[in-house]
Amino acid sequence: MIESIQIKLLPEEVSDLVLIKKRLALEVGHNDFVFRWKKRSIDARKKRILINATFEVAKSESEFTPLKGFQPAKKLKGTVHIIGAGPAGLFAALRCIEFGLKPIVIERGKDVRARRRDLAKLNKEQIVNPESNYCFGEGGAGTYSDGKLYTRSKKRGDVDKTLALFVEFGAPKDILIDAHPHIGTNKLPQIIVDIREKILLHGGEVRFESKLTDIEIVSGKVSRIQINSEKWENVEELVLATGHSARDIFDLLHRHHIKLYAKPFALGVRVEHLQEFIDKIQYHGRVNDAFLPPSSYSLVTQVANKGVFSFCMCPGGIIAPCATEQEEVVTNGWSPSKRNNPYSNSGIVVTVSPDDFENSKDPMVCLDFQKSVERACWEAAGKTQEVPAQCLKDFIDRKVSKSFPRSSYQPGIVSVDLNTVLPKMIADRLRKAFLDFDKKMKGFVSNDAVLHAPESRTSSPIQIPRDRESFAHIEIKNLYPCAEGAGYAGGIISAAIDGMKVVEKIAEKSEQKIA
Ligand SMILES: Cc1cc2nc3c(=O)[nH]c(=O)nc-3n(C[C@H](O)[C@H](O)[C@H](O)COP(=O)(O)OP(=O)(O)OC[C@H]3O[C@@H](n4cnc5c(N)ncnc54)[C@H](O)[C@@H]3O)c2cc1C
């Protein structure tokens, strides 16, 4: 029988297996057992930092349940077109193969390696390729990210299956036990390549530089799709996993009078501190400690009836230019697996809701607002990929910063009073929220921290509604709005889970047809 045992360890004790066995033996009452890690998290609330460690203890290794990996069907029959090769699209394709369905993945961007060259151009020459950037291309928006793999999803089975698949495709096993697992930008691309190769090996198709440009609807179903404004092809089932930045897809659906709703999202700035400073606060002065990972934070407050919160915090990370068009600027963050850059960055964002606008019933109302802020920031910083920036204390004092301590944002920053660029409803709340955060993390507000604007692609500003039971669009029977772009996921893990869930619904439907 497997027993689950929780103990507390000091950070320096975590890799001492002899000591761990002794401590577990005290709990078990004998020495005749094997053990493996189940979960670990850092408790840094008090000066004496502890690791909450949970182990599984059994009589022999064979008692431990092996990871349930990828289980391909022998034969594929019936096709599913999947638009988008982000986490949702790729995990949907894997699940298709498990259910004996042939996935055809259609991706507007380039393969993960070719994509890297476009990112270099974006960083160094300020050229945005609208088909290949930090949001578009193989692996989707999550490929060149921090690769944080935590989710608010409470469905442990789904999360565990997804993490197990990541491990099967090369992610470190630590992600199975860490409370806040992450992979890192340097490791994600190879994992994506391995997933693609597995899809191809088992009879799926993956096409790059292929953009969905139109659909034909006959009798309440999508009958054909058009690729790159040229070729049309027939479809049986269509999974739309195009992410929150595929604005042309929202336009396309709207043009076809397919129901869409505006949905709340969040918008603000990305703040950058020195990682050492964040460690000092979070680890009670313990910096450069070999036994502790670069620390993170999670902040939340309410200002004038709206949530203001930290988003996608990247310890030891870099701020990335995430625009998908030339005439806009967007920030987000990434980190390598070791999170060993000297900077820490995080989005600090304010909830935006359709009700904030007069035309709240217009499905495009939040998207239009998002676009207008991205464009205003682009104009304010000189119409390049440089972003408007301000030291944090100066932002609160409404003073244009005279100089900056540093910035990891490669295309460059331009000093601007962000209070004059960001909409008042955002700027006013951010100033108050920062003062609250400064109480929670002393020193958070200073001119050693730099704000970069905007952080705007937090989640989709549009919902593509689907039926609760079938997961198909409420009006179009074989169209499956999926994951982040449709408003059903936020982040890599939940997007991957939603991709798999949608395919399970399609498989259920085809089984019903056969029966
Ligand atoms: C820099 C950055 C860092 C991030 N860090 C993290 C993190 O650490 N942890 C985390 O959980 N999340 C992170 N995210 C968010 C995460 O990447 C997304 O939540 C996730 O990728 C959403 O998955 P998805 O499959 O729904 O959509 P996406 O990943 O956006 O994938 C959609 C795909 O569809 C393709 N596509 C779009 N339109 C078309 C079309 N017309 N035809 C064909 N293909 C099309 C796109 O090219 C893209 O590849 C980060 C995002 C960015 C940009």
Side-chain angles (χ1 to χ4, degrees):
M1 205 185 78
I2 300 175
E3 209 182 329
S4 194
I5 295 180
Q6 239 188 327
I7 55 173
K8 290 194 188 296
L9 297 167
L10 293 171
E12 49 274 33
E13 292 171 345
V14 163
S15 48
D16 188 342
L17 298 181
V18 177
L19 176 133
I20 292 172
K21 177 132 194 194
K22 272 192 204 154
R23 299 275 301 278
L24 290 173
L26 291 176
E27 304 287 327
V28 181
H30 59 82
N31 256 322
D32 185 20
F33 63 87
V34 292
F35 66 95
R36 71 175 184 183
W37 277 94
K38 190 172 177 198
K39 279 282 159 238
R40 72 175 169 222
S41 61
I42 300 174
D43 183 354
R45 285 173 299 175
K46 296 202 178 123
K47 204 165 166 58
R48 188 165 181 259
I49 298 170
L50 292 169
I51 308 296
N52 289 324
T54 310
F55 293 91
E56 287 185 325
V57 170
K59 260 201 139 355
S60 71
E61 292 282 344
S62 60
E63 282 185 54
F64 293 134
T65 352
L67 285 182
K68 248 204 181 146
F70 178 57
Q71 292 164 319
K74 291 210 173 65
K75 265 192 185 166
L76 305 185
K77 176 165 92 167
T79 57
V80 178
H81 281 74
I82 298 166
I83 314 297
L90 291 175
F91 277 72
L94 290 172
R95 200 75 179 126
C96 277
I97 294 168
E98 292 189 317
F99 276 102
L101 297 160
K102 176 179 168 164
I104 301 176
V105 182
I106 293 176
E107 167 57 53
R108 74 194 294 163
K110 299 179 186 172
D111 71 78
V112 82
R113 304 235 180 274
R115 190 179 167 191
R116 201 183 276 275
R117 284 192 282 278
D118 294 313
L119 300 188
K121 274 196 184 157
L122 182 44
N123 276 300
K124 291 183 189 142
E125 298 168 39
Q126 317 227 351
I127 299 168
V128 184
N129 179 337
E131 311 304 339
S132 176
N133 45 58
Y134 276 93
C135 293
F136 296 159
E138 187 180 21
T143 310
Y144 298 96
S145 77
D146 184 41
K148 281 179 280 295
L149 297 182
Y150 36 96
T151 164
R152 277 189 228 125
S153 169
K154 295 276 173 288
K155 295 189 177 149
R156 204 58 243 172
D158 294 340
V159 176
D160 289 348
K161 179 177 168 74
T162 313
L163 292 175
L165 283 171
F166 268 111
V167 169
E168 184 167 343
F169 292 108
K173 280 200 172 135
D174 285 356
I175 67 169
L176 301 172
I177 55 172
D178 282 334
H180 290 119
H182 100 114
I183 295 183
T185 308
N186 48 324
K187 294 196 172 157
L188 274 159
Q190 188 54 48
I191 293 171
I192 301 296
V193 170
D194 288 357
I195 294 179
R196 182 221 309 158
E197 283 173 358
K198 193 66 97 182
I199 293 168
L200 297 177
L201 178 74
H202 290 281
E205 276 181 42
V206 182
R207 300 185 207 149
F208 297 113
E209 298 183 64
S210 302
K211 177 160 80 169
L212 174 73
T213 44
D214 206 354
I215 55 177
E216 180 187 73
I217 299 173
V218 177
S219 313
K221 284 177 89 176
V222 181
S223 54
R224 295 194 303 161
I225 56 172
Q226 189 198 41
I227 305 300
N228 294 338
S229 307
E230 291 167 354
K231 215 182 96 196
W232 284 89
E233 67 185 76
N234 295 336
V235 294
E236 292 173 30
E237 311 288 356
L238 183 64
V239 176
L240 204 54
T242 42
H244 60 26
S245 290
R247 291 170 170 172
D248 42 6
I249 289 294
F250 299 135
D251 288 340
L252 164 66
L253 299 177
H254 201 42
R255 210 167 60 236
H256 280 277
H257 307 289
I258 293 174
K259 208 165 222 42
L260 304 173
Y261 301 120
K263 83 170 243 315
F265 76 113
L267 183 145
V269 292
R270 190 151 276 260
V271 61
E272 185 167 73
H273 292 84
L274 279 180
Q275 181 61 44
E276 202 176 288
F277 170 73
I278 300 295
D279 289 348
K280 206 168 172 181
I281 300 180
Q282 300 297 72
Y283 293 152
H284 314 280
R286 219 166 137 172
V287 292
N288 299 321
D289 188 314
F291 298 104
L292 288 169
S295 62
S296 60
Y297 58 82
S298 171
L299 292 163
V300 58
T301 189
Q302 281 282 120
V303 182
N305 295 323
K306 276 190 177 291
V308 185
F309 54 95
S310 57
F311 170 80
C312 190
M313 196 262 158
C314 297
I318 298 283
I319 300 183
C322 293
T324 46
E325 296 283 342
Q326 197 66 50
E327 298 187 352
E328 65 191 22
V329 284
V330 177
T331 63
N332 204 314
W334 62 263
S335 319
S337 54
K338 290 194 175 141
R339 288 180 162 166
N340 54 358
N341 283 299
Y343 317 101
S344 122
N345 67 69
S346 176
I348 303 288
V349 291
V350 181
T351 312
V352 176
S353 136
D355 296 336
D356 295 327
F357 308 99
E358 261 176 30
N359 46 342
S360 60
K361 293 280 173 279
D362 177 353
M364 298 296 171
V365 70
C366 289
L367 176 65
D368 288 344
F369 176 74
Q370 184 191 46
K371 279 185 190 171
S372 70
V373 175
E374 292 172 2
R375 195 178 164 93
C377 289
W378 172 75
E379 283 172 350
K383 302 187 175 182
T384 64
Q385 281 304 301
E386 290 184 315
V387 288
Q390 192 166 17
C391 293
L392 178 41
K393 180 145 190 331
D394 287 341
F395 172 66
I396 288 170
D397 297 340
R398 298 164 182 260
K399 281 203 299 210
V400 174
S401 300
K402 292 211 173 74
S403 62
F404 291 106
R406 76 263 109 231
S407 164
S408 68
Y409 182 79
Q410 233 185 309
I413 57 176
V414 175
S415 183
V416 167
D417 180 6
L418 293 176
N419 292 289
T420 63
V421 182
L422 294 170
K424 190 171 157 38
M425 74 166 187
I426 302 291
D428 287 356
R429 286 184 172 86
L430 283 176
R431 282 196 313 276
K432 289 200 174 119
F434 277 125
L435 291 174
D436 184 50
F437 295 161
D438 192 59
K439 287 184 198 141
K440 292 170 177 159
M441 288 178 71
K442 258 212 151 347
F444 195 86
V445 171
S446 82
N447 276 343
D448 285 337
V450 182
L451 306 184
H452 302 63
E455 170 84 31
S456 48
R457 307 277 174 100
T458 47
S459 69
S460 183
I462 285 186
Q463 180 108 43
I464 314 177
R466 66 188 188 196
D467 178 74
R468 275 164 182 256
E469 279 305 309
S470 68
F471 279 25
H473 186 272
I474 54 172
E475 297 164 328
I476 317 279
K477 292 186 202 80
N478 63 341
L479 175 68
Y480 292 84
C482 181
E484 190 152 58
Y488 292 98
I492 297 169
I493 289 290
S494 64
I497 291 175
D498 199 56
M500 295 193 288
K501 288 270 163 228
V502 159
V503 169
E504 283 159 28
K505 294 290 179 182
I506 295 174
E508 251 173 48
K509 185 167 93 174
S510 31
E511 270 164 28
Q512 278 163 7
K513 260 197 240 158
I514 296 164

